[in-house]
Amino acid sequence: MKNLLTIAGSDSSGGAGIQADLKTFAAHGTFGMSVITAVTAQNTCGVTKVQNIDPEVVKYQIAAVFSDIHVDAVKIGMVAQTEIIKTIASSLRRYHPDIIVVDPVMISKSGYPLLNPDACGMLIKELLHLATLLTPNLQEAEVITGLKINDKNAMLPAAEKIVVMGAKTVLIKGGHLSDTADDLLFDGKEARWFSGDRIDTKNTHGTGCTLSSSLAANLANGMDLVSAVEASKKYVTEAIKYGPNIGHGCGPTHHFVELYRKAGILG
């Protein structure tokens, strides 16, 4: 069994962040561990309060895991402050995990800022070049590159720029496109599109966290990058289709569709 570490914020409603990451790791047959960077008060309607964790505590959480357990892959999610980013980057340079998937979480679905404006430059400086794979959505790719991305044609120039900025590979997610949900994978040489149909549902809370965690798990389990993206996109699509309709806002996805199906709980 592979051991995966998520470094991210906690979602009190369980649909995103650390909670979504650990569920996704478990669904992929891996052992999940966590370093919490922030505690958020949030539910399906939005985020109301964020308490960032002291960078020294983040440092000690990372050290506690790596000093005792072999880490096969790391997923990085919400990292809101400059000092936390610097602490994570310094720790990862020390421990050299083979796989690092960075999901540059900047704004919640409800519009709450999850990355301090002064920390964006630090994220680019410190984490991009450490990333085996960066997974921004359209809005995040715009912030990172300074380019406007209105359609699929604008995604490739953004991906090319992100690789030039230091990321080894980038997957720009097209979930916010108006007509499709196609994603673009670019490794500096080859661009590859992954098609996706739009699903008529409001229950998409935590999809970015879930996708990046699935990618980390699939890569740790030995998949090549293209196969990992294909499998992860399929996993997230199923999770969205069968998302539990809970809460008054954007509900979560269903992280254990296949397990429930095998158990006869899900049709």
Side-chain angles (χ1 to χ4, degrees):
M1 180 181 289
K2 301 297 183 181
N3 305 318
L4 271 73
L5 174 65
T6 169
I7 303 175
S10 170
D11 171 10
S12 49
S13 68
I18 289 287
Q19 288 81 355
D21 298 340
L22 293 176
K23 291 173 186 176
T24 303
F25 292 163
H28 286 71
T30 64
F31 181 76
M33 304 169 289
S34 63
V35 168
I36 298 177
T37 61
V39 174
T40 71
Q42 66 175 295
N43 54 29
T44 64
C45 297
V47 180
T48 54
K49 189 70 174 177
V50 173
Q51 175 65 62
N52 289 297
I53 303 300
D54 187 297
E56 190 76 357
V57 177
V58 173
K59 175 183 175 181
Y60 272 83
Q61 288 181 82
I62 296 172
V65 173
F66 276 95
S67 65
D68 182 43
I69 302 167
H70 176 74
V71 177
D72 294 288
V74 174
K75 173 265 171 82
I76 302 175
M78 177 187 173
V79 286
Q81 292 183 325
T82 296
E83 290 304 315
I84 292 176
I85 293 170
K86 290 167 66 176
T87 295
I88 292 169
S90 175
S91 297
L92 294 182
R93 285 194 294 267
R94 175 181 178 184
Y95 296 112
H96 298 291
D98 292 333
I99 298 166
I100 302 175
V101 177
V102 177
D103 182 21
V105 178
M106 296 181 179
I107 301 173
S108 73
K109 272 192 171 57
S110 61
Y112 193 100
L114 298 176
L115 177 69
N116 293 351
D118 63 336
C120 184
M122 188 60 64
L123 185 149
I124 293 169
K125 177 183 176 182
E126 294 286 347
L127 294 183
L128 245 66
H129 71 281
L130 293 178
T132 307
L133 176 64
L134 190 79
T135 63
N137 60 28
L138 298 185
Q139 189 174 20
E140 291 157 353
E142 285 185 341
V143 172
I144 292 169
T145 63
L147 301 175
K148 193 65 180 174
I149 309 173
N150 293 318
D151 52 32
K152 284 180 64 174
N153 292 331
M155 290 170 69
L156 181 55
E160 291 172 337
K161 185 169 183 178
I162 289 173
V163 170
V164 169
M165 293 171 73
K168 297 178 183 67
T169 312
V170 59
L171 179 72
I172 298 184
K173 300 173 291 188
H176 293 160
L177 291 169
S178 59
D179 51 351
T180 70
D182 296 353
D183 300 338
L184 174 64
L185 180 68
F186 183 66
D187 62 2
K189 297 179 181 179
E190 182 181 359
R192 187 181 182 106
W193 287 96
F194 297 82
S195 62
D197 297 325
R198 303 200 69 80
I199 301 171
D200 185 19
T201 179
K202 64 183 178 64
N203 300 322
T204 58
H205 181 54
T207 50
C209 306
T210 300
L211 178 67
S212 54
S213 295
S214 175
L215 286 163
N218 283 329
L219 291 171
N221 281 331
M223 287 188 183
D224 61 77
L225 191 54
V226 171
S227 298
V229 174
E230 289 174 338
S232 293
K233 193 167 176 65
K234 180 180 178 182
Y235 169 75
V236 171
T237 299
E238 286 290 287
I240 294 172
K241 282 181 180 178
Y242 291 93
N245 191 28
I246 62 174
H248 296 91
C250 295
T253 65
H254 194 322
H255 296 91
F256 297 106
V257 170
E258 191 60 29
L259 181 64
Y260 276 45
R261 185 173 285 141
K262 289 179 179 178
I265 302 172
L266 192 70

